[in-house]
Amino acid sequence: MRRTRTLTAVFALAAGLLAGGPPALAATGDEPAQVPLAADTYTWKNARIDGGGFVPGIVFNRTEKNLAYARTDIGGAYRWQQSTKTWTPLLDHVGWDDWGHTGVVSVASDSVDPDRVYAAVGTYTNDWDPGNGAVLRSADRGATWRKADLPFKLGGNMPGRGMGERLAIDPNRNSVLYLGAPSGRGLWRSTDSGATWSQVTSFPNPGNYVQDPTDSSGYAADNQGIAWVTFDESTGTSGSATRTVYVGVADQENAVYRSTDAGATWTRLAGQPTGYLPHKGVLDAENGYLYVAYSDKGGPYDGGKGALWRYATATGTWTDISPVAEADTYFGYSGLTVDRQNPGTVMATAYSSWWPDTQIFRSTDSGATWTQAWEYTSYPARENRYTMDVSSVPWLTWGANPSPPEQTPKLGWMTEALEIDPFDSNRMMYGTGATIYGTENLENWDSGGKFTVEPMVQGLEETAVNDLVSPPSGAPLLSALGDVDGFRHTDLTKVPSMMFTSPTFTSSTSLDYAESDPDTVVRVGNLDAGPHIAFSTDNGAHWFAGTDPAGVSGGGTVAAAADGGRFVWSPDGAGVHHTTGFGTSWSASSGIPAGAIVESDRVDPRTFYGFKSGKFYVSTDGGATFTASAATGLPSGDSVRFKALPGAKGDIWLAGGAPDGAYGLWHSTDGGASFSKLPNVEQADTVGFGKAAPGASYQTLYTSAKIGGVRGIFRSTDQGATWTRINDDAHQWGWTGAAITGDPRVYGRVYVATNGRGIVYGDTSDAGGGNPDPDPDPEPTGACAVTYEVTNQWSGGFQADVRLTNTGTSAWSGWSLDWTFPNGQTVAQMWNAEHTRSGASVTAKNVAWNANVAPGASVAFGFTGSWTGSNARPAAFRLGERSCAVN
């Protein structure tokens, strides 16, 4: 079950919570080296897992059918695509320096102008996230964004993140928005559609609830602040600010406030219940009821008591409508929704009922009476009003075989998001700690039939990736993941049937395979009680547990000998150990400090390597003894990842460091005795290998790095002499520093670890390698081809992607593409290219990092625009004086 995300080897786990931050985010004063860069157009996809993380918020637009958004705690925001019943990621453009903006505190969809959507972003309010929060605003449903920086932090992955929504748009005057802030920062307002924000100084209570005041990390010691904002739309008219606004505050004695003068003054609602925190506040304006879901804790994990209350807006009367007597609760309430087609129908969740299952409650008489999704017949037997079908995501059973009253798959846990479609009383979605579930026959609940619950999560990929390997045979990809252990992908386009089992770790931290025997695989991870290491002899299809040496408290890193005959393990809580066979007994290794990162030589089965605090270590006796090498100049910290090249003894690549010290990419060809730093790489955090380019003898290098002043994912086909950036500004995925590997069987394919966007893999359009021509022509020469595709279209607006391919024989050192729209369309915003326009004519020019395009390679850019009447694609494109083929 989902607990928290880790940035392995960068973040340290303390009491189950992240306690650190990526080391490479501070600015450096060094001028970037003048490094020639090529660009290659990659097609990026996710290796399908479907879900895998906590979804704390789901938001439906109130005026446009089928327009819905989901927010995740560290994995960005998504928009629902009704035609495919999938989710489209919206924040993949968030870059390395702003990695905290992948945590989404709240989402708001504008019901006056459905093209507009807002996201309040920021991951931690303590110093783990060095940046402040921001409010992102989009006028094209999240295709492109503008940012308003805030003078404080936001906490998408902080305690209390399931409360909300903290961000709300005035339904009558949509230029007015409110944002509830944490950390005692109070209530904030924008009157210019999110461009600027100021504190509402008249709001009297910034909140005071703290989960754990003694937490020295600041994670659990932060004031959870303002929980939600809700407008009473009946108290305003179109174009005028709504008069009545309700605000929920994380204060157990003073939880709900109201303004009746459009936010000028505020009062605590009289007669309100005390002793609880208001997780959600939902208004039924038609019947004049404000519903509030309460818990004694902030969630999303904790909560032992709760209540549901209804406030009559006309009379000021509070009524306890709790489905279960307070004395009988062992959970808090959070998920809360009203059926907008039938406002007397209300639903709520027991979000913190972990065992035997979550509970969902439903009332059709405004909370006077309730039914529940399941109940006991004769304990431990239970009767469910629903059936569950997880055939599309079969791992949601967790491979479990629980005893009654627990069942598998579970109805859920951490169920803080619950929404009935405002246009369809039969459709409901709710978030859990691992997925989004939903139903399309909800009204069967009331008719005595059973409604069907199934995953509605395809396209939403939310795992935190700790390690990746791509063996030369067997499955193309094995992964080590936070919260859901890891998967064996035999087909990247399909959801695996099950995560790793026997044992199933809460998080896997490292895995490796034997280079000459890829059927032999080892993985290590974290588990509350049980072994921390497992082995497979069939390429990860089946596993068996090993035995821990004394003192092990966490997975650490592990390495398999080239022939699979021995293993070296550096677990948390114990020093480095080695074993022959499959870990039935371990011996302590000497000469290497505890906590070292370990790897194996990919040719010599008796050679292993280690790194710790600036020192590189080598063992030539199977891990029994290590010796520190004489290599100097390596990073002094432990934010390092290194790998030995398959097929070449002693060929090692090491990436890592920090801006205030040594930082970059190093290469050793003498087994770590010495290392040479690549002068053309400013910063690097991962390194991996893949199939050599056609005509090349050395394997392709991949890295997440900063080269030529540009942060990105890079490829080299000539041992790092030259580099090609293979991602672009629209595909950055925040922090990508945990792992990277190429595919040894498919040239150009690369697998990238993200912290919350799952496993991203890319395939190249460049069949020949695509590194820069050492003497490029000053102007584009040769033939060209263009692919133009409208990828999204709505009333008055559209999004298009363009791919420009160099089909000639000479490299380009710059490019400029011209076209004319046939129906008078206009470009609003363009990414990965600069543009000018005159009437219907458009010119798109390269930016600095994608100026160089090798023969056979492509460059991609995209834009949003407007249209009326028709939206036909341009018939012709010109590169300088040459016409391009149109695909």
Side-chain angles (χ1 to χ4, degrees), residues 89-118:
L90 301 178
L91 298 185
D92 284 357
H93 71 279
V94 173
W96 181 272
D97 290 342
D98 291 327
W99 65 266
H101 291 174
T102 60
V104 184
V105 174
S106 191
V107 167
S109 179
D110 191 340
S111 293
V112 177
D113 180 359
D115 288 343
R116 293 185 179 274
V117 63
Y118 300 83

Coordinates of all heavy atoms in Angstrom, one line a residue, residues 89-118:
P89 N -1.5 13.3 -19.4 CA -0.6 14.0 -18.5 C -0.5 15.5 -18.9 O -0.4 15.8 -20.1 CB 0.7 13.3 -18.5 CG 0.7 12.6 -19.8 CD -0.7 12.2 -20.1
L90 N -0.5 16.4 -18.0 CA -0.5 17.8 -18.3 C 0.7 18.6 -17.8 O 1.0 19.7 -18.2 CB -1.7 18.5 -17.7 CG -3.1 17.9 -18.1 CD1 -4.2 18.7 -17.4 CD2 -3.3 18.0 -19.6
L91 N 1.5 18.0 -16.9 CA 2.7 18.7 -16.4 C 4.0 18.0 -16.7 O 5.0 18.2 -16.0 CB 2.5 18.8 -14.8 CG 1.3 19.6 -14.4 CD1 1.3 19.7 -12.8 CD2 1.2 20.9 -15.0
D92 N 4.1 17.3 -17.8 CA 5.4 16.7 -18.2 C 6.4 17.8 -18.6 O 7.6 17.5 -18.6 CB 5.2 15.8 -19.4 CG 4.6 14.5 -19.0 OD1 4.3 14.3 -17.8 OD2 4.3 13.6 -19.9
H93 N 6.0 19.0 -18.8 CA 6.9 20.1 -19.1 C 7.7 20.5 -17.9 O 8.7 21.3 -18.1 CB 6.2 21.3 -19.7 CG 5.4 22.0 -18.7 ND1 4.1 21.6 -18.3 CD2 5.7 23.1 -17.9 CE1 3.7 22.4 -17.3 NE2 4.6 23.3 -17.1
V94 N 7.3 20.2 -16.7 CA 8.0 20.7 -15.5 C 9.5 20.1 -15.5 O 9.7 18.9 -15.7 CB 7.3 20.2 -14.2 CG1 8.1 20.6 -13.0 CG2 5.9 20.9 -14.1
G95 N 10.4 21.1 -15.4 CA 11.8 20.7 -15.6 C 12.5 20.4 -14.3 O 12.0 20.5 -13.2
W96 N 13.8 20.1 -14.4 CA 14.7 19.7 -13.3 C 14.7 20.7 -12.1 O 14.5 20.3 -11.0 CB 16.1 19.4 -13.8 CG 17.1 19.0 -12.8 CD1 17.9 19.7 -12.0 CD2 17.4 17.6 -12.5 NE1 18.7 19.0 -11.3 CE2 18.5 17.6 -11.6 CE3 17.0 16.4 -13.0 CZ2 19.1 16.5 -11.1 CZ3 17.6 15.2 -12.5 CH2 18.6 15.3 -11.5
D97 N 14.9 21.9 -12.5 CA 15.0 22.9 -11.4 C 13.7 23.2 -10.7 O 13.8 23.6 -9.5 CB 15.5 24.3 -12.0 CG 17.0 24.2 -12.5 OD1 17.7 23.3 -12.0 OD2 17.4 25.0 -13.3
D98 N 12.6 22.9 -11.3 CA 11.3 23.1 -10.7 C 10.6 21.8 -10.3 O 9.4 21.7 -10.3 CB 10.4 23.9 -11.6 CG 10.8 25.3 -11.8 OD1 11.3 25.9 -10.9 OD2 10.6 25.8 -12.9
W99 N 11.4 20.8 -10.0 CA 10.9 19.4 -9.8 C 9.7 19.4 -8.8 O 8.8 18.6 -8.9 CB 12.0 18.4 -9.4 CG 12.6 18.7 -8.0 CD1 13.7 19.5 -7.7 CD2 12.1 18.3 -6.7 NE1 13.9 19.5 -6.4 CE2 12.9 18.8 -5.7 CE3 11.0 17.5 -6.3 CZ2 12.7 18.6 -4.4 CZ3 10.8 17.3 -5.0 CH2 11.6 17.9 -4.0
G100 N 9.8 20.3 -7.8 CA 8.7 20.4 -6.8 C 7.3 20.7 -7.4 O 6.3 20.4 -6.8
H101 N 7.3 21.2 -8.6 CA 6.0 21.6 -9.2 C 5.3 20.4 -9.8 O 4.3 20.5 -10.4 CB 6.2 22.7 -10.2 CG 6.6 24.0 -9.6 ND1 6.9 25.1 -10.3 CD2 6.7 24.4 -8.3 CE1 7.2 26.1 -9.5 NE2 7.0 25.7 -8.2
T102 N 5.9 19.2 -9.6 CA 5.1 18.0 -10.0 C 4.2 17.5 -8.9 O 3.3 16.7 -9.1 CB 6.1 16.8 -10.3 OG1 6.9 16.5 -9.2 CG2 7.0 17.2 -11.5
G103 N 4.3 18.1 -7.7 CA 3.4 17.9 -6.6 C 2.2 18.8 -6.8 O 2.4 20.0 -6.8
V104 N 1.0 18.3 -6.8 CA -0.2 19.1 -7.1 C -1.1 19.2 -5.8 O -1.7 18.2 -5.4 CB -1.0 18.6 -8.3 CG1 -2.1 19.6 -8.6 CG2 -0.1 18.5 -9.5
V105 N -1.2 20.4 -5.3 CA -2.0 20.6 -4.1 C -3.4 20.7 -4.4 O -4.3 20.2 -3.6 CB -1.5 21.9 -3.4 CG1 -2.4 22.2 -2.2 CG2 -0.1 21.8 -2.9
S106 N -3.8 21.3 -5.5 CA -5.2 21.5 -5.9 C -5.3 21.8 -7.4 O -4.4 22.3 -8.0 CB -5.8 22.6 -5.0 OG -7.2 22.7 -5.2
V107 N -6.5 21.4 -7.9 CA -6.8 21.7 -9.3 C -8.2 22.4 -9.3 O -9.1 22.0 -8.5 CB -6.9 20.4 -10.1 CG1 -7.5 20.7 -11.5 CG2 -5.5 19.9 -10.3
A108 N -8.4 23.4 -10.2 CA -9.7 24.0 -10.4 C -10.0 24.2 -11.8 O -9.1 24.6 -12.6 CB -9.7 25.4 -9.7
S109 N -11.2 23.7 -12.3 CA -11.6 23.8 -13.6 C -12.7 24.9 -13.7 O -13.7 24.9 -12.9 CB -12.2 22.5 -14.1 OG -12.7 22.5 -15.4
D110 N -12.5 25.8 -14.7 CA -13.4 27.0 -14.8 C -14.7 26.6 -15.5 O -14.7 26.3 -16.6 CB -12.7 28.1 -15.5 CG -13.4 29.4 -15.5 OD1 -14.6 29.5 -15.2 OD2 -12.7 30.4 -15.7
S111 N -15.8 26.7 -14.7 CA -17.1 26.4 -15.3 C -17.7 27.5 -16.2 O -18.6 27.3 -17.0 CB -18.1 26.1 -14.2 OG -17.7 24.9 -13.6
V112 N -17.2 28.8 -16.1 CA -17.6 29.9 -16.9 C -16.9 29.7 -18.3 O -17.5 29.9 -19.3 CB -17.3 31.2 -16.3 CG1 -17.6 32.4 -17.2 CG2 -18.0 31.3 -15.0
D113 N -15.6 29.4 -18.3 CA -14.8 29.3 -19.5 C -14.1 27.9 -19.3 O -13.0 27.8 -18.8 CB -13.8 30.4 -19.6 CG -12.9 30.3 -20.8 OD1 -13.1 29.3 -21.6 OD2 -12.0 31.1 -21.1
P114 N -14.7 26.8 -19.8 CA -14.1 25.5 -19.6 C -12.7 25.3 -20.2 O -12.1 24.3 -19.8 CB -15.1 24.6 -20.3 CG -16.4 25.3 -20.2 CD -16.0 26.8 -20.5
D115 N -12.2 26.2 -21.1 CA -10.9 26.0 -21.6 C -9.9 26.3 -20.5 O -8.7 26.0 -20.6 CB -10.6 27.0 -22.7 CG -11.4 26.5 -24.0 OD1 -11.8 25.3 -24.0 OD2 -11.5 27.3 -24.9
R116 N -10.3 27.0 -19.4 CA -9.3 27.5 -18.4 C -9.3 26.4 -17.3 O -10.3 25.9 -16.8 CB -9.8 28.8 -17.8 CG -9.6 30.0 -18.8 CD -9.9 31.3 -18.2 NE -9.8 32.4 -19.1 CZ -8.6 33.0 -19.4 NH1 -7.5 32.6 -18.7 NH2 -8.6 34.0 -20.3
V117 N -8.1 26.2 -16.8 CA -7.8 25.3 -15.7 C -6.6 25.8 -14.9 O -5.7 26.4 -15.5 CB -7.6 23.8 -16.2 CG1 -6.3 23.7 -17.1 CG2 -7.5 22.8 -15.0
Y118 N -6.6 25.6 -13.6 CA -5.6 26.0 -12.7 C -5.1 24.9 -11.9 O -5.8 24.0 -11.6 CB -6.1 27.1 -11.8 CG -6.7 28.3 -12.5 CD1 -8.0 28.3 -13.0 CD2 -5.9 29.5 -12.7 CE1 -8.5 29.5 -13.7 CE2 -6.4 30.6 -13.4 CZ -7.7 30.6 -13.9 OH -8.2 31.7 -14.5

